[in-house]
């Protein structure tokens, strides 16, 4: 498979971009990945890149967007930070990816059993990690059940995964409220901003 060109990127609609990711994950789960010559794609992209998607995901070593969506070199912009939240730098990177480099979809990708989410649930404190997990605490507070404090921690994996999902949705809200550039592009139908969750047990991605 060849890397995307300016022409093939332009031909991808926002809905097609999402479908390409869904189809790629289906191939990954079925172990039917597309055959690629990655060095050939290195050569193809040496004079320019034309990705179709921007994916914000966690740094978790089990959640590599290129692998789980069966994509090659030059196909996606991959933004990674523990807890998959946004800040000014990440928003700027997304604005570059969409407005200047032409990607058609922004995916906020959470995952089950997320360590950063567990840290927020447990009020973890460790160096700079303390400030990082504080960015996820609004999602912890927004999940109102269970109310029993003894069940609102990393020992309750259902609670952890509910917080991870809420964090994805709140991150999407933050993108729209904190980036007028991306909000305008979405309002104009130039991009879509969507959420998804990766299951570390099955390899499957569920889109919201």
């Amino acid at each position: 498979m060849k890397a995307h060109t300016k022409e093939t990127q332009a031909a991808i609609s926002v809905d097609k971009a999402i479908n390409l990711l869904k189809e790629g994950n289906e191939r990954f789960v079925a172990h039917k990945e597309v055959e690629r010559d990655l060095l050939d794609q290195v050569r193809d992209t040496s004079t320019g890149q034309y990705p179709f998607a921007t994916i914000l995901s966690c740094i978790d070593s089990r959640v590599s967007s290129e692998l789980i969506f069966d994509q090659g070199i030059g196909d996606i912009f991959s933004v990674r930070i523990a807890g998959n939240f946004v800040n000014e730098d990440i928003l700027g990177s997304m604005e570059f990816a969409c407005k200047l480099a032409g990607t058609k979809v922004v995916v906020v990708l959470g995952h089950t059993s997320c360590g950063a989410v567990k840290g927020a649930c447990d009020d973890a404190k460790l160096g700079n990690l303390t400030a990082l997990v504080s960015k996820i605490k609004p999602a912890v507070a927004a999940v109102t059940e269970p109310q029993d404090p003894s069940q609102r921690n990393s020992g309750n994996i259902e609670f952890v995964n509910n917080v991870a999902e809420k964090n994805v949705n709140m991150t999407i809200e933050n993108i729209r409220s904190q980036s007028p550039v991306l909000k305008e592009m979405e309002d104009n139908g130039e991009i879509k901003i969507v959420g998804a969750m990766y299951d570390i047990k099955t390899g499957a991605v569920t889109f919201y």
Side-chain angles (χ1 to χ4, degrees):
M1 178 176 284
K2 303 291 285 183
H4 282 289
T5 65
K6 186 175 183 179
E7 291 72 27
T8 62
Q9 183 200 53
I12 298 173
S13 68
V14 291
D15 289 330
K16 177 63 175 176
I18 296 171
N19 285 334
L20 286 173
L21 294 175
K22 289 180 177 179
E23 292 166 1
N25 182 245
E26 288 171 0
R27 291 194 302 270
F28 173 72
V29 172
H31 200 41
K32 295 181 178 179
E33 293 90 342
V34 170
E35 289 189 15
R36 293 180 175 86
D37 185 331
L38 293 178
L39 285 179
D40 190 40
Q41 290 187 331
V42 168
R43 290 186 286 270
D44 288 343
T45 56
S46 62
T47 57
Q49 58 174 337
Y50 303 97
F52 68 89
T54 300
I55 301 175
L56 169 63
S57 62
C58 185
I59 65 167
D60 193 290
S61 63
R62 299 163 292 185
V63 192
S64 169
S65 294
E66 288 84 354
L67 295 178
I68 67 174
F69 289 113
D70 189 27
Q71 300 300 317
I73 291 173
D75 290 339
I76 63 173
F77 281 115
S78 183
V79 186
R80 303 187 70 172
I81 186 168
N84 44 267
F85 60 85
V86 290
N87 57 24
E88 185 179 54
D89 302 313
I90 291 172
L91 289 171
S93 298
M94 289 178 166
E95 290 170 358
F96 165 78
C98 295
K99 191 69 175 180
L100 300 181
T103 63
K104 307 300 179 68
V105 61
V106 173
V107 179
V108 179
L109 179 67
H111 68 93
T112 58
S113 300
C114 178
V117 171
K118 289 179 179 179
C121 292
D122 291 343
D123 194 25
K125 298 185 185 303
L126 174 67
N128 290 302
L129 183 62
T130 305
L132 185 147
V133 298
S134 71
K135 311 297 196 305
I136 308 170
K137 286 184 180 179
V140 178
V143 176
T144 57
E145 295 293 336
Q147 296 182 13
D148 180 355
S150 69
Q151 295 298 310
R152 296 176 62 84
N153 54 59
S154 62
N156 183 349
I157 196 62
E158 181 180 3
F159 176 64
V160 169
N161 290 341
N162 286 340
V163 172
E165 180 175 348
K166 176 62 71 173
N167 184 54
V168 166
N169 292 328
M170 293 180 74
T171 297
I172 291 173
E173 293 172 4
N174 289 336
I175 293 171
R176 290 172 177 150
S177 65
Q178 296 173 24
S179 173
V181 172
L182 297 176
K183 178 67 165 60
E184 181 181 42
M185 291 186 74
E186 185 176 43
D187 289 345
N188 292 339
E190 299 171 73
I191 64 169
K192 279 190 176 181
I193 305 170
V194 300
M197 185 68 62
Y198 176 74
D199 190 326
I200 63 166
K201 292 183 178 179
T202 66
V205 173
T206 301
F207 280 81
Y208 301 141

